Amino acid sequence: MKKRILNVLGALLLCLGPAAAAQGTLILATTTSTQDSGLLDVLVPMFQKQTGIKVKTIAVGSGQAMAMGRKGEADVLLVHSPDAERAFMAEGFGLRRRLVMHNDFVVLGPAADPAGLKGTPSAAAAFRKLSAGAVTFVSRADQSGTHAQEKKLWKSAGFDPAGRPWYLETGQGMGATLNVAAEKKACTLSDRGTYLAMRKTLGLVILVEGDPSLANIYHVIELEPAKCPKTNAAAGKAFADFMVSAPVQEVIRTFGVDTFGSPLFFPDAGKKDE
Amino acid sequence: MELVWEGIRKAFDLLRTLDPEVLGITLFTLKVSLLATLASLVLGIGTGVALALNTFPGRRLAISLINTGMGLPPVVVGLFVTILLWRNGPLGVLELLYTPSAIILAQTVIATPIIAGISLSALQQLPPDLRLQILSLGATRTQMLWLLLKEARLPLLAAVMAGFGGVISEVGASLMVGGNIKGSTRVLTTATVMETGKGNFDVAIALSLILLALTFTVNAVLTHIQQRERPR
């Protein structure tokens, strides 16, 4: 009886497993912005069709994506947190890091602009104005690329917002954080892609944009097999090659133009890094 | 308020046009939660019977653990199952993380104590002499068990409903061990979280309504079976 129960359970567990346990699967650890903007919904099926490799996309912050890479729980990373990526490469976890695309960060807030950010010459100056606390600021606070950028901007403004009553930390993805900011009529930092994709429901406007310090750069990183032996290095390389290939770069260039009126990302493959 | 109406309209649109993605997520959700409930039934009723009919040292402790497990937070289960299934974790060789099997496994862990706890109290509620009576009529132990379970079928069906309701509605464990992968491990609850995050409230409302309808349908069927013939 006991054995039969165990058999039934084993069968139950396995009946859905084999397809996923096949050789050709790839765990892509990436940022929420690539998923929330819809770009991966276009690229992943393309990749699966071309290579027959099944992709498991795990959309987390860049920080968590790199943590998965360090533990060998992913095969390839698509991330946008350059400083943390350089550290990741220096520690020897990455085999190769290639430039894929960029867009930019924007500072968003209610149209009434209570902090008077409109027309501020630089992002650092805008964050100095925000430090007065006239308006609530919503932070991702999830170690994502956007969060890293936000911390950098606070630093350039010479201010530490931690613990201020007007500084809210959601610990969630870009989309969820934008919803909180919209609901609280607060300011926040977002990548332009996610903002454009969600603009219709938000009621937030762009207050600061165009500063070079607001660049948002995405890299694809293959993992070092010597450090993470269980990594599917061949599939990881296939995905990285795919991301920088000419047809994919063309898809990136035009993605979003028909729905949002302007592209969400700008292809950069092959350009000189930084 | 307009948003809610829009969501309801969208839900009907998605259902009427049989949107293939929504349909796929709905069927997948049903499949995963039913399989998990089935596995929990075997384990849970087995545990309930073992605890109800036997006395052994540590029995009270076991019952306390089961009762605590009835309120097991899904995120805690999700975290531990994730750690267990990591490539470099103890069960990493199975390569189950981010697969439907991982969700079934986590949901089984969540539902088993619920079903075990309710089965246990269902069996304990039967008159204590019943066992002796059945045995004295010459029944084998298996026959006696079958009769006892039959006698307790009303609360046992309630256990099925509680277990199924617990797993189809949980989001934390499915998100962590499944990864909300499009076309593979996306269930109604994780899709709802994602669509809310993306600001697609109409789709999120539509998905929630489908989830509610699904839960209602399954429970209506079970209730029908339960109430079909009242014992005694």
Side-chain angles (χ1 to χ4, degrees):
Chain A
M1 182 69 187
K2 208 169 173 187
K3 208 174 158 200
R4 227 170 67 201
I5 292 174
L6 282 178
N7 280 340
V8 169
L9 276 178
L12 275 178
L13 271 180
L14 287 177
C15 68
L16 287 160
Q23 269 297 330
T25 62
L26 167 85
I27 297 182
L28 162 65
T30 184
T31 75
T32 55
S33 51
T34 51
Q35 171 160 301
D36 285 355
S37 62
L39 179 65
L40 287 178
D41 289 345
V42 177
L43 294 184
V44 165
M46 241 176 102
F47 177 74
Q48 293 189 160
K49 214 169 139 194
Q50 261 181 38
T51 60
I53 298 171
K54 198 169 155 15
V55 179
K56 298 181 191 172
T57 308
I58 308 301
V60 290
S62 290
Q64 197 185 333
M66 277 182 265
M68 284 173 72
R70 278 196 178 87
K71 288 203 310 269
E73 300 296 339
D75 301 312
V76 67
L77 314 177
L78 178 62
V79 287
H80 67 134
S81 194
D83 292 345
E85 289 165 33
R86 276 189 286 271
F88 184 85
M89 298 302 288
E91 289 163 35
F93 288 103
L95 179 67
R96 187 146 60 137
R97 171 172 173 256
R98 282 182 277 178
L99 186 61
V100 175
M101 60 189 183
H102 76 274
N103 61 10
D104 61 345
F105 292 108
V106 290
V107 180
L108 303 173
D113 192 15
L117 296 184
K118 255 189 195 138
T120 312
S122 74
F127 271 66
R128 262 195 298 280
K129 281 189 181 172
L130 283 169
S131 68
V135 60
T136 306
F137 187 93
V138 182
S139 167
R140 290 275 294 272
D142 62 350
Q143 308 302 331
S144 61
T146 310
H147 182 216
Q149 178 71 22
E150 181 212 313
K151 283 193 289 193
K152 210 169 153 182
L153 289 169
W154 284 119
K155 213 173 159 190
S156 71
F159 183 79
D160 179 9
R164 303 288 162 141
W166 48 266
Y167 186 72
L168 305 182
E169 301 177 284
T170 63
Q172 297 192 69
M174 194 69 254
T177 302
L178 282 173
N179 286 332
V180 174
E183 215 45 50
K184 301 254 177 211
K185 294 192 174 26
C187 286
T188 191
L189 183 75
S190 170
D191 65 288
R192 189 184 292 266
T194 312
Y195 169 66
L196 286 179
M198 291 181 58
R199 184 170 49 181
K200 60 176 169 42
T201 58
L202 287 177
L204 296 173
V205 299
I206 295 178
L207 297 176
V208 183
E209 63 182 326
D211 187 320
S213 71
L214 290 173
N216 179 22
I217 304 159
Y218 291 80
H219 286 82
V220 65
I221 300 180
E222 293 163 58
L223 299 176
E224 171 57 66
K227 279 247 184 179
C228 330
K230 287 181 184 163
T231 294
N232 189 346
K237 179 177 187 307
F239 186 82
D241 289 344
F242 168 83
M243 285 304 290
V244 299
S245 68
V248 170
Q249 292 282 303
E250 183 58 25
V251 170
I252 292 173
R253 197 177 65 75
T254 53
F255 175 73
V257 174
D258 46 353
T259 2
F260 310 113
S262 62
L264 300 191
F265 299 96
F266 301 91
D268 284 331
K271 289 186 192 158
K272 204 172 134 33
D273 210 342
E274 276 121 274
Chain B
M1 205 52 214
E2 198 186 314
L3 196 66
V4 176
W5 288 122
E6 207 177 298
I8 293 172
R9 207 165 46 233
K10 181 100 186 172
F12 280 109
D13 279 355
L14 288 173
L15 284 176
R16 205 190 53 229
T17 57
L18 290 177
D19 182 88
E21 191 174 350
V22 172
L23 197 68
I25 295 176
T26 308
L27 291 178
F28 176 71
T29 306
L30 194 61
K31 183 165 135 192
V32 162
S33 293
L34 284 179
L35 281 174
T37 310
L38 208 64
S40 315
L41 269 183
V42 176
L43 289 172
I45 293 188
T47 313
V49 166
L51 287 172
L53 303 188
N54 298 304
T55 46
F56 53 87
R59 181 170 170 271
R60 286 222 171 148
L61 180 67
I63 294 175
S64 308
L65 285 176
I66 295 278
N67 287 335
T68 310
M70 290 175 81
L72 214 53
V75 279
V76 175
V77 175
L79 177 63
F80 283 107
V81 172
T82 307
I83 293 173
L84 216 59
L85 294 181
W86 268 338
R87 274 180 186 164
N88 301 304
L91 297 179
V93 287
L94 298 176
E95 293 194 19
L96 285 181
L97 194 58
Y98 309 132
T99 66
S101 306
I103 305 183
I104 297 177
L105 180 67
Q107 293 194 340
T108 304
V109 175
I110 294 167
T112 298
I114 298 177
I115 294 179
I118 302 180
S119 330
L120 172 64
S121 55
L123 290 167
Q124 284 183 324
Q125 244 173 14
L126 297 175
D129 296 343
L130 192 62
R131 259 160 81 191
L132 292 174
Q133 246 173 44
I134 297 173
L135 285 177
S136 67
L137 288 168
T140 63
R141 202 173 152 76
T142 320
Q143 282 172 328
M144 175 200 72
L145 253 181
W146 181 243
L147 284 170
L148 287 183
L149 289 178
K150 239 175 115 174
E151 199 58 32
R153 66 186 175 280
L154 282 189
L156 285 181
L157 274 163
V160 179
M161 288 186 242
F164 177 77
V167 293
I168 201 168
S169 63
E170 72 78 28
V171 58
S174 296
L175 198 57
M176 286 167 109
V177 306
N180 187 36
I181 298 167
K182 187 179 177 166
S184 165
T185 58
R186 190 163 292 173
V187 293
L188 284 168
T189 51
T190 60
T192 305
V193 171
M194 185 193 66
E195 294 298 346
T196 307
K198 284 163 96 171
N200 297 333
F201 299 115
D202 46 358
V203 183
I205 293 170
L207 290 170
S208 318
L209 291 176
I210 294 170
L211 180 61
L212 278 177
L214 197 64
T215 317
F216 174 78
T217 311
V218 171
N219 278 307
V221 170
L222 289 172
T223 310
H224 179 74
I225 298 171
Q226 189 192 43
Q227 301 295 326
R228 198 171 41 190
E229 40 161 340
R230 303 179 143 273
R232 275 183 282 265

